[in-house]
Amino acid sequence: MTSEARAAPAPLASFVGIRAEAIWLRPVGLLRGVAARSALAAANALPLLGGDVACSAFEILALDRDQVRVGFGSLAELRRWGATREKKVTDRIAELLAALSAPRPPWAELPLDRPRIMGVVNVTPDSFSDGGDLLDPARAIEAGKAMLAAGADIIDVGGESTRPGAAPLSPEDETRRVEPVIAALAEAGAIVSIDTRHAAVMAAALAKGARIVNDVTALTHDPDALPLVAKRGAAIVLMHMKGEPRTMQQDPVYACAPIEVAAYLAGRIAACAAAGIPRERIIVDPGIGFGKNLAHNLEIIERLTLFHALGCGVLLGVSRKSFIGRVTGVADPKARLPGSLAAALYGVSLGVQIVRVHDVAATHQALAVWQAIVQSS
């Protein structure tokens, strides 16, 4: 966490001379059950994503001219402050509150009315946690079908490792790895996502039945990717990555990681809109572990509700990642299930709609218990 972002919150009245577009809101006063219903009835809160979780207070964040500003206020205080500012700031506050409180439409024909599970099928020899396990297409297809049976809503198929330090793979080799797997899983009725940054692989995967493109470069790596996704009408996951896989973990620096990641994703959403991809086809992913150190990752996860201000669904990929190992000392990625579940459930508690996981059955069970608890009141 940066020292600026951890400073004591300043009074809202001190937020002067800041560009409107530099301002972000993070819901922090989240209420559930009777407390939420009471606050909503009294108009003291907004419904997070149009649901039954109420937002009663907000952290106000701004990164302007490399300076991080942090404030805090109730919904009423925030509205009063916004009403006294110049029109651009008033409009920005209204825009952010509307995005935070609006329900999310279905994505890839999948309703986002409850947390969804994206199961990972890496058809690779070198992925960080399961490289080589599913390189054989038959084994990958079997694993994908088992994930469906265990409760996965989406199967994410990848043929190129994007782990830190990974070497690039040609699109032709990547296509050969994923095509038979995607075709078989789509025929089995799965909603299939293709995890790739290459337009040629996207096109081949969509032709074989994939409905979603999951691009770690947010459609920036290949100039043909953005027009292809727009033309084909595919759903898209836009992920933030600082740098590229071979170098992204070489001392990444941020003034305030959550704001900078959100601002980047806002720019990519705008680029998609300009290309003809509407917001309802977009899910954003803050890219845990992609060009971020331990402090950055933890800060982004803590402030996940900020990303709802982008007006899209949010995907969280924390399964087996190295930050869990750094926190716990567990070196083997396959032994990080408890940490993976803890991070995923924390994200879901903050409104994340999709969790991308390797361990589908365990995640499905954890989500079922979590949902039963939160719905009991």
Side-chain angles (χ1 to χ4, degrees):
M1 189 76 70
T2 61
S3 58
E4 295 90 346
R6 275 303 187 201
L12 292 182
S14 70
F15 275 67
V16 294
I18 296 174
R19 294 175 300 114
E21 61 270 24
I23 296 173
W24 292 88
L25 297 180
R26 177 176 74 106
V28 292
L30 300 186
L31 305 173
R32 290 182 168 83
V34 174
R37 292 190 290 272
S38 176
L40 291 171
N44 293 327
L46 289 177
L48 180 65
L49 307 175
D52 54 7
V53 175
C55 312
S56 62
F58 298 84
E59 183 181 50
I60 300 91
L61 294 160
L63 176 59
D64 198 23
R65 302 173 187 88
D66 295 325
Q67 294 296 313
V68 179
R69 303 286 293 278
V70 182
F72 178 84
S74 67
L75 176 61
E77 290 169 335
L78 179 63
R79 282 174 165 163
R80 284 196 298 270
W81 173 77
T84 66
R85 311 316 306 163
E86 58 271 27
K87 185 177 186 304
K88 285 186 177 180
V89 172
T90 302
D91 290 346
R92 174 66 172 170
I93 296 298
E95 172 194 351
L96 293 171
L97 290 176
L100 289 167
S101 59
R104 299 297 181 254
W107 179 75
E109 301 180 9
L110 189 65
L112 299 179
D113 55 348
R114 61 178 177 83
R116 299 291 183 169
I117 297 173
M118 175 185 278
V120 180
V121 173
N122 287 320
V123 194
T124 62
D126 55 349
S127 290
F128 80 98
S129 74
D130 55 0
D133 289 357
L134 305 177
L135 185 57
D136 175 63
R139 292 182 65 184
I141 293 166
E142 181 183 0
K145 290 181 177 179
M147 288 179 180
L148 286 175
D153 301 287
I154 304 164
I155 304 297
D156 191 41
V157 179
E160 179 189 36
S161 174
T162 51
R163 62 178 172 79
L169 180 72
S170 74
E172 294 78 16
D173 287 341
E174 187 181 349
T175 298
R176 279 193 290 271
R177 288 179 181 178
V178 301
E179 271 190 325
V181 180
I182 291 170
L185 293 176
E187 186 177 350
I191 297 175
V192 179
S193 168
I194 175 63
D195 180 1
T196 185
R197 52 185 177 157
H198 301 292
V201 182
M202 296 174 192
L206 294 170
K208 291 296 183 180
R211 301 189 214 174
I212 301 164
V213 170
N214 180 13
D215 185 356
V216 297
T217 73
L219 300 178
T220 64
H221 175 77
D222 189 325
D224 294 328
L226 185 58
L228 171 73
V229 171
K231 181 179 180 180
R232 295 295 298 272
I236 175 71
V237 179
L238 301 175
M239 197 196 82
H240 174 274
M241 175 172 59
K242 193 179 185 74
E244 53 91 21
R246 284 177 295 181
T247 61
M248 63 186 177
Q249 291 306 106
Q250 295 176 7
D251 193 28
V253 175
Y254 300 85
C256 182
I259 296 178
E260 291 175 69
V261 172
Y264 170 85
L265 291 171
R268 295 311 303 154
I269 292 168
C272 285
I277 302 173
R279 196 178 297 264
E280 57 265 25
R281 278 169 49 193
I282 299 171
I283 289 280
V284 295
D285 177 354
I288 300 302
F290 285 80
K292 300 161 184 82
N293 64 27
L294 175 60
H296 301 144
N297 289 321
L298 295 176
E299 183 179 5
I300 289 167
I301 294 171
E302 180 196 10
R303 285 178 157 145
L304 279 170
T305 51
L306 180 148
F307 295 94
H308 296 310
L310 293 165
C312 301
V314 178
L315 181 150
L316 180 64
V318 290
S319 180
R320 302 182 180 179
K321 289 196 171 176
S322 61
F323 84 92
I324 299 172
R326 291 190 174 94
V327 169
T328 63
V330 176
D332 180 2
K334 292 182 181 179
R336 296 174 184 161
L337 175 58
S340 301
L341 292 175
L345 289 176
Y346 183 82
V348 168
S349 75
L350 298 181
V352 164
Q353 289 92 349
I354 301 173
V355 288
R356 183 178 182 273
V357 306
H358 299 83
D359 302 286
V360 170
T363 305
H364 187 266
Q365 183 181 116
L367 284 176
V369 174
W370 178 87
Q371 285 180 287
I373 293 168
V374 298
Q375 291 171 0
S376 65
S377 59

